[in-house]
Amino acid sequence: MGLLSLAIWLPVAFGVLLLGLGRDSQAGMVRWIALVGAILSFAVTIPLYTGFDAGTSAMQFVESLMWIERFNVRYHLGVDGISVWFVLLTAFITIIVVIAGWEVITERTNQYMGAFLILSGLMVGVFSALDGLLFYVFFEATLIPMYIIIGVWGGPRRVYAAFKFFLYTLLGSLLMLVALIYLYYKSNYSFDILTWHRLPLPLDAQMLLFGAFFMAFAVKVPMWPVHTWLPDAHVEAPTGGSVVLAAIMLKLGAYGFLRFSMPIAPDATRELDWLVIGLSLVAVVYIGLVALVQQDMKKLVAYSSVAHMGFVTLGFFLFNELGVSGAIVQMISHGFVSGAMFLCIGVLYDRMHSRQIGDYGGVVNTMPKFAAFALLFSMANAGLPGTAGFVGEWMVILGTVQVNFWLGAIAATALVFGASYTLWMYKRVYFGPVTNDNVRTLTDINAREFLMLAVLAVAVLWMGVYPKPFTDVMHHSVTDLLRHVAVSKLQ
């Protein structure tokens, strides 16, 4: 068992162990076991970075075993400069989520913590699978723990939100399964994704494959107009569910474009780039305007996520290194920033049991430490230079300007809208005099809350000030992907 297998199955094993501890009287022990499991799972991913050779685009830490011999299905794992970051991000966010639910979850604590650890392992499996069927199994299996998390620990409309989340993402993935089966037969009965990258497919077949993959991954991102499940899921999910949903699960769809759509159907990708760029710009501009009128903090940040992920899909289909690298950086930074934003909303909700912006005001007077953290994360969400939220968006805007100045100008309006809705929310919630007796009695963050916010604050500032380690690792994988798409077009 290699490092990637450990990164997948160690959290799953801890999750299954926690499911066996069935009494709430054991909640204290459950929390510590969950924390140990999350920390160990993160620890085994660190050598993936320290031992990574950034000078090559080849897959590294590869594991390959026969799984289903009759159909030539292999348990095939590996990471390159693109996927390695998401393995680390998944394990890192899982620690934050365990700490976030430490005092808040008092019922079925073992099932709550177990679901997140199992989900963490499955998501690592998505990012490291090199066998098409194995990818599909992990991709679909992630729906089950998140469905349970929303449906059991969510808000008043949790069952509706959980069903909507499950049906949207499941139906979107069914066409992908058809595409995988087609590729299996075209590649002489192989599910090897790297083999599929080299298949000489005619344009009409590529167009159909691109459409099938697009339906699966666009829903997961989510792209406009198939984004409507996300605000409902975020609003009803518990804080930890919103953090994982925004920080990791949205990235599964974006990652699918890089691993399947672009390298397997490169000619179709070139032919349909206008469609994806158009939908991405709609998400960036229109959804930014939608976020401006929200009265629920969670819904505002949920729409903000759709707009920020619009930058990701925009960057992918520019076909230049600035755009693609910027989009990947944006995916990582969005994991830190959006996760922190939802944690801040969770801190307030735990005290006030309200997410309505109008119910707050003057929080800085009673929670000054917390307000300082919230200000940093709000500035990062608005794309302030020096924070993680700026780097990826700026790279994508520069990449867009290289393709077309006016498209770049439209994309840049997102920074204006992002600043508008984020600062508007911060002003109404945190600034001004205390006008609400409930706000007047608020207590500032405790040591546990300070720790999880401080760790994310360090990550946001580190990535904003010094993004070089991230771009260096992904450089060769990105250039190799772009070369593959360009060469295919010339042929």
Side-chain angles (χ1 to χ4, degrees):
M1 181 176 287
L3 286 171
L4 288 174
S5 286
L6 278 174
I8 294 170
W9 301 114
L10 189 62
V12 171
F14 270 93
V16 172
L17 171 64
L18 291 174
L19 294 180
L21 303 174
R23 295 187 297 275
D24 285 334
S25 60
Q26 298 173 305
M29 181 176 64
V30 162
R31 295 183 183 108
W32 282 107
I33 292 174
L35 182 60
V36 169
I39 292 173
L40 286 177
S41 300
F42 178 63
V44 300
T45 65
I46 293 174
L48 296 175
Y49 172 70
T50 57
F52 192 86
D53 180 6
T56 175
S57 63
M59 290 292 170
Q60 301 180 43
F61 305 99
V62 175
E63 302 173 37
S64 184
L65 297 168
M66 186 57 70
W67 178 24
I68 306 173
E69 188 169 358
R70 180 178 177 184
F71 299 106
N72 195 26
V73 181
R74 302 189 70 82
Y75 175 78
H76 191 189
L77 306 175
V79 289
D80 60 1
I82 295 171
S83 54
V84 67
W85 282 116
F86 299 107
V87 173
L88 271 77
L89 180 64
T90 303
F92 172 75
I93 291 295
T94 304
I95 300 176
I96 302 295
V97 167
V98 169
I99 297 173
W102 197 269
E103 298 169 357
V104 180
I105 304 301
T106 56
E107 296 181 356
R108 298 193 179 104
T109 310
N110 65 311
Q111 296 170 26
Y112 179 86
M113 298 295 185
F116 274 110
L117 285 169
I118 292 171
L119 178 60
S120 174
L122 295 175
M123 291 189 296
V124 171
V126 173
F127 292 124
S128 54
L130 295 180
D131 181 275
L133 190 62
L134 184 66
F135 174 90
Y136 185 80
V137 169
F138 280 131
F139 191 81
E140 294 297 89
T142 58
L143 299 181
I144 300 169
M146 183 53 73
Y147 173 79
I148 294 170
I149 288 163
I150 297 172
V152 175
W153 293 276
R157 299 175 71 241
R158 58 185 179 271
V159 175
Y160 164 78
F163 264 100
K164 191 173 182 180
F165 158 75
F166 192 90
L167 290 176
Y168 261 71
T169 48
L170 178 66
L171 290 174
S173 302
L174 291 178
L175 283 175
M176 178 174 71
L177 180 59
V178 176
L180 297 181
I181 294 171
Y182 171 81
L183 289 167
Y184 171 70
Y185 284 106
K186 289 295 288 185
S187 60
N188 195 23
Y189 307 107
S190 171
F191 277 109
D192 182 54
I193 295 173
L194 301 180
T195 299
W196 291 350
H197 290 181
R198 299 187 294 271
L199 282 179
L201 298 170
L203 181 60
D204 55 349
Q206 287 193 32
M207 296 289 272
L208 291 172
L209 287 170
F210 185 91
F213 287 132
F214 183 80
M215 288 305 298
F217 302 138
V219 170
K220 202 82 165 184
V221 167
M223 294 180 67
W224 182 89
V226 288
H227 67 284
T228 57
W229 63 269
L230 184 68
D232 290 317
H234 270 311
V235 167
E236 300 304 323
T239 299
S242 291
V243 171
V244 169
L245 195 58
I248 310 297
M249 290 202 75
L250 305 189
K251 314 305 183 293
L252 301 181
Y255 175 74
F257 281 115
L258 294 174
R259 190 61 80 221
F260 288 85
S261 303
M262 294 174 70
I264 293 174
D267 297 329
T269 300
R270 285 280 189 182
E271 291 290 328
L272 297 173
D273 58 355
W274 59 271
L275 173 65
V276 181
I277 289 173
L279 294 177
S280 301
L281 289 174
V282 170
V284 166
V285 178
Y286 169 68
I287 300 299
L289 291 171
V290 171
L292 268 171
V293 300
Q294 300 305 314
Q295 300 297 320
D296 184 305
M297 287 187 284
K298 251 194 174 182
K299 195 166 272 191
L300 187 150
V301 178
Y303 280 114
S304 165
S305 289
V306 178
H308 285 131
M309 291 302 290
F311 266 103
V312 172
T313 49
L314 172 63
F316 288 166
F317 287 80
L318 297 174
F319 306 118
N320 57 41
E321 189 177 353
L322 259 179
V324 177
S325 296
I328 298 169
V329 169
Q330 172 72 353
M331 289 164 70
I332 302 166
S333 69
H334 181 259
F336 295 139
V337 176
S338 67
M341 292 289 288
F342 281 113
L343 284 174
C344 288
I345 296 170
V347 167
L348 290 174
Y349 185 80
D350 293 341
R351 289 161 168 76
M352 291 269 290
H353 300 291
S354 172
R355 293 185 300 267
Q356 295 301 309
I357 294 171
D359 291 342
Y360 292 89
V363 170
V364 70
N365 297 289
T366 53
M367 303 178 70
K369 294 177 186 175
F370 171 65
F373 279 119
L375 179 62
L376 169 63
F377 299 136
S378 296
M379 292 297 100
N381 196 55
L384 181 74
T387 64
F390 172 77
V391 182
E393 291 187 1
W394 184 242
M395 290 173 70
V396 172
I397 290 171
L398 291 178
T400 310
V401 169
Q402 285 184 1
V403 174
N404 184 290
F405 173 80
W406 295 110
L407 290 180
I410 295 171
T413 60
L415 296 176
V416 178
F417 295 139
S420 300
Y421 57 69
T422 306
L423 295 178
W424 175 80
M425 178 181 71
Y426 190 88
K427 173 183 174 292
R428 293 190 63 192
V429 172
Y430 294 92
F431 286 160
V434 178
T435 57
N436 187 321
D437 288 337
N438 291 327
V439 174
R440 193 169 285 111
T441 60
L442 290 177
T443 56
D444 213 341
I445 50 176
N446 56 32
R448 173 187 62 85
E449 293 165 329
F450 186 93
L451 173 65
M452 67 182 185
L453 294 177
V455 170
L456 282 170
V458 170
V460 166
L461 289 173
W462 172 45
M463 189 172 186
V465 173
Y466 189 59
K468 189 174 183 291
F470 298 91
T471 54
D472 282 354
V473 167
M474 68 182 69
H475 169 69
H476 284 282
S477 295
V478 169
T479 53
D480 186 63
L481 173 63
L482 291 173
R483 190 182 305 113
H484 174 75
V485 174
V487 168
S488 178
K489 179 65 178 176
L490 291 172
Q491 289 175 346

